[in-house]
Amino acid sequence: MKYTSIIFLTHSYWPRQLKIGLQGDVTDPRTNSFLYILDILPRLQKLPKYILLENVKGFEMSSTRDLLIQTIENCGFQYQEFLLSPTSLGIPNSRLRYFLIAKLQPEPFPFQAPGQVLMEFPKTESEHPPKYAINAEKKTEEKKTGPKICFDSSTQCSGKEAILFKLETAGEIDRKHQQDSDLSVRMLKDFLEDDIDKHSFFLPPKSLLRYALLLDIVKPTSRRSMCFTKGYGRYIEGTGSVLQTTEDVQIENIYKSLTSLSQEEKIMRLSMLQLRFFTPKEIANLLGFPPEFGFPEMTTVKQRYRLLGNSLNVHVVAKLIKILCD
């Protein structure tokens, strides 16, 4: 078997700094290992043939990204940047990530779009070029105002929209309905376990009371779910979707006048939805791990959630590697 050198790099913290205004970027100590690789890369006697890099959305606007591009260009790499989610492959899980693929060759990729961050996997030559792209040359202005990417061209991005029965805007509700109507994405039920003790994964009454208006609720027939973080199962807000196991109950009826009820009445009504956490195995399924994948028996559910929350989508990475090596 012929050996082919490839560097795979992953980091995940730039957006948090950009959001809260610290903007440590290249001065943050956590970038040291990455900057070290960029430092030694041009001095290697034999450069790797391929590079695949993953990061969270926001890295494309960082100074560290600029240094990366400058380094690989000087080394003779042809490259392309992406912002991709598993939904592009029909997987009902939103997990938007930055990716860069680079190849040590004189000729550019056939789909290469210099200065752009592509929002789709590359098409064949007979197809139209990707319709969603960010011009990397404009990212200086975007740093000042914040990038505004609207994935749904039929919905205007507005900061003032009506609040509905939950803490969601009309635009968010419309987006979710459109996601559930996208037949190119599979239903969640294809990724769920058949035989589990669902009672052990039910949300406790305390969580139902405190976070009822913040929950992202999906059904087995839904074609979407939020990104699952390492805090899933311990924290509620922003860590991932929860599954409604009683599909015949209308969520709108449950939430109608919910805030005017007593605590006991709220619990009784919310319990009708039978909301549960996704199991670690189900999250692994959504992340593209093979059916035979499993954890050692001594690992706790909490540990499994934490490990999966730091993971990548296997199918997305596999497709990028295939594109890179073709």
Side-chain angles (χ1 to χ4, degrees), residues 67-107:
L67 182 59
L68 164 69
I69 298 302
Q70 179 184 345
T71 301
I72 62 176
E73 284 182 338
N74 292 340
C75 290
F77 284 92
Q78 298 291 337
Y79 69 92
Q80 182 59 57
E81 300 171 279
F82 299 90
L83 280 174
L84 298 171
S85 177
T87 53
S88 300
L89 298 178
I91 301 169
N93 182 235
S94 298
R95 196 180 182 86
L96 189 63
R97 291 293 185 270
Y98 169 92
F99 292 94
L100 174 141
I101 58 174
K103 182 183 291 189
L104 194 62
Q105 62 178 17
E107 297 298 323

Side-chain angles (χ1 to χ4, degrees), residues 152-218:
D152 178 13
S153 58
S154 65
T155 303
Q156 292 184 346
C157 294
S158 172
K160 297 180 180 179
E161 294 169 321
I163 302 297
L164 303 187
F165 63 92
K166 289 177 64 190
L167 296 183
E168 296 175 316
T169 64
E172 289 171 334
I173 294 294
D174 182 61
R175 175 179 55 81
K176 291 180 178 181
H177 285 165
Q178 292 191 42
Q179 287 176 320
D180 285 334
S181 302
D182 186 355
L183 299 182
S184 68
V185 179
R186 298 164 62 185
M187 292 184 180
L188 284 170
K189 64 181 181 181
D190 295 339
F191 301 83
L192 302 180
E193 291 190 87
D194 294 327
D195 300 317
I196 63 166
D197 179 15
K198 66 179 183 180
H199 294 280
S200 61
F201 291 94
F202 278 152
L203 272 67
K206 183 178 179 180
S207 296
L208 290 175
L209 284 175
R210 184 172 181 180
Y211 299 103
L213 301 180
L214 300 174
L215 295 171
D216 181 67
I217 302 172
V218 295

Side-chain angles (χ1 to χ4, degrees), residues 232-251:
Y232 190 70
R234 293 185 298 131
Y235 304 108
I236 303 295
E237 185 176 358
T239 61
S241 303
V242 295
L243 187 67
Q244 176 185 339
T245 57
T246 52
E247 295 188 72
D248 57 333
V249 179
Q250 295 298 316
I251 187 172

Side-chain angles (χ1 to χ4, degrees), residues 85-87 91-95 224-228 286-287 313:
S85 177
T87 53
I91 301 169
N93 182 235
S94 298
R95 196 180 182 86
R224 63 173 186 85
S225 62
M226 288 176 55
C227 174
F228 296 97
L286 287 167
L287 290 173
N313 189 282

Side-chain angles (χ1 to χ4, degrees), residues 303-318:
Q303 290 172 328
R304 297 178 186 189
Y305 282 140
R306 287 180 62 85
L307 292 169
L308 290 167
N310 289 330
S311 184
L312 297 169
N313 189 282
V314 176
H315 293 304
V316 173
V317 174

Side-chain angles (χ1 to χ4, degrees), residues 256-307:
K256 186 177 181 180
S257 304
L258 184 68
T259 55
S260 63
L261 302 178
S262 66
Q263 289 192 357
E264 292 76 12
E265 291 172 322
K266 287 180 182 178
I267 292 176
M268 287 183 60
R269 183 177 290 189
L270 291 168
S271 297
M272 294 175 63
L273 295 172
Q274 293 192 20
L275 301 176
R276 72 165 177 86
F277 292 109
F278 283 77
T279 69
K281 177 62 176 175
E282 291 167 344
I283 296 176
N285 292 341
L286 287 167
L287 290 173
F289 286 84
E292 61 272 18
F293 172 80
F295 289 97
E297 292 186 4
M298 68 283 297
T299 55
T300 65
V301 172
K302 175 182 175 180
Q303 290 172 328
R304 297 178 186 189
Y305 282 140
R306 287 180 62 85
L307 292 169

